[in-house]
Amino acid sequence: MTETAMGDDWQTWQDSWDRQQEWYMPDREERFRVMLDMVEALVGPAPRVLDLACGTGSISDRLLKRFPKAESVGVDLDPALLAIAQGHFAGEDRIRFVRADLKDPQWTALLPYDSYDAVLTATALHWLHSEDLRGLYGQLGGLVRDGGVFLNADHMPDGSTPRIDAAERAFRHARMDRAKEAGAVDWAEWWQLAAADPRLAGPTAERFAIYGEHADGDTPSVRWHAQVLREAGFAEARAVWASPTDSLVLALK
């Protein structure tokens, strides 16, 4: 996709973000499907959702298309991804956005509601170190209503199967290399395109001043996530979906 085409409209930027993420995670849509299935199963088809570390609003986009009576609040710190989200959802009254730092102990004070039926996040919280994530989970225990859910799809390696892990990694990277040769855009290239768009140049520069190239957070196991979520006040927690590298953990309040 050319720089000119990328800048034509916000839908193009939204789509390009999805394609870039899918280069790393070809099963990305499957985790979203299971996530929304679990939302519907546990809290129904008209949830009030907190889209945590929402980025361009990929989860909210699928949420609102599937559930016409849903409401979403997207929260993120990244000014460039939020600019895309706000442009993409302009005129949509079922969603609003909040810019906040999840490591700030007071970030929940910026939210429009005190409680949510569901808090959803994907491929984002690995930017946090374990102690910051433990603190965040403690706050989520107070935000999710009784009977509500938290769902986190992210990198959650096992570590006990090195040969399986090595074979999967080699297979995955070979597939990624083939896709790259066919024109797939990776993380670094995507951000170069964003910096070249006059509407995103300033927010992109600000974003890299905040984060650098990439945060160096942790990727604890499914067991760790489930245990810490129970300690935070959730009654049940376990994985409800997994790929060779990632898992979707569901916690029920």
Side-chain angles (χ1 to χ4, degrees):
M1 182 175 292
T2 66
E3 175 187 325
T4 301
M6 292 283 283
D8 283 347
D9 57 67
W10 294 114
Q11 180 67 60
T12 302
W13 275 113
Q14 178 72 263
D15 291 343
S16 73
W17 176 260
D18 284 342
R19 301 296 84 76
Q20 178 258 125
Q21 290 287 285
E22 286 167 359
W23 183 65
Y24 297 96
M25 298 168 288
D27 49 23
R28 186 167 177 258
E29 288 300 328
E30 179 68 7
R31 71 190 69 192
F32 288 153
R33 182 191 65 78
V34 175
M35 178 181 286
L36 296 184
D37 282 352
M38 293 298 96
V39 169
E40 184 172 6
L42 289 160
V43 300
R48 175 189 292 168
V49 169
L50 180 62
D51 186 350
L52 194 66
C54 65
T56 64
S58 295
I59 292 175
S60 289
D61 190 47
R62 288 150 182 81
L63 173 83
L64 298 180
K65 286 174 179 174
R66 176 163 169 173
F67 304 124
K69 295 183 179 180
E71 178 183 5
S72 183
V73 176
V75 59
D76 208 304
L77 182 62
D78 189 313
L81 298 185
L82 279 176
I84 294 170
Q86 289 166 332
H88 175 66
F89 289 101
E92 173 56 76
D93 61 6
R94 293 177 295 163
I95 188 168
R96 67 185 79 181
F97 293 98
V98 173
R99 187 176 178 193
D101 184 351
L102 298 182
K103 292 190 288 186
D104 180 348
Q106 304 303 316
W107 73 271
T108 59
L110 300 174
L111 298 177
Y113 303 112
D114 293 331
S115 68
Y116 295 82
D117 301 310
V119 177
L120 311 179
T121 188
T123 326
L125 300 188
H126 65 272
W127 285 63
L128 299 177
H129 288 290
S130 295
E131 286 313 302
D132 289 326
L133 186 55
R134 184 185 296 274
L136 177 63
Y137 280 178
Q139 291 176 304
L140 296 183
L143 281 176
V144 176
R145 67 162 174 83
D146 288 346
V149 295
F150 168 67
L151 286 133
N152 177 17
D154 211 340
H155 311 315
M156 300 181 189
D158 182 289
S160 66
T161 55
R163 289 189 297 164
I164 294 173
D165 295 347
E168 183 282 327
R169 178 180 174 83
F171 177 84
R172 174 165 41 91
H173 279 264
R175 182 172 55 194
M176 291 169 69
D177 289 344
R178 291 193 297 271
K180 196 75 166 60
E181 291 171 1
V185 173
D186 65 17
W187 172 267
E189 291 168 330
W190 191 90
W191 282 109
Q192 289 171 4
L193 289 169
D197 186 321
R199 297 170 300 175
L200 293 175
T204 297
E206 183 183 356
R207 179 237 181 258
F208 278 95
I210 294 169
Y211 294 109
E213 288 298 322
H214 201 283
D216 57 348
D218 300 328
T219 54
S221 67
V222 169
R223 179 177 295 181
W224 184 94
H225 285 275
Q227 177 181 336
V228 174
L229 286 163
R230 289 190 185 98
E231 292 170 357
F234 290 89
E236 301 177 12
R238 70 170 179 88
V240 292
W241 174 90
S243 74
T245 57
D246 294 8
S247 292
L248 172 61
V249 168
L250 184 155
L252 176 64
K253 189 73 181 294

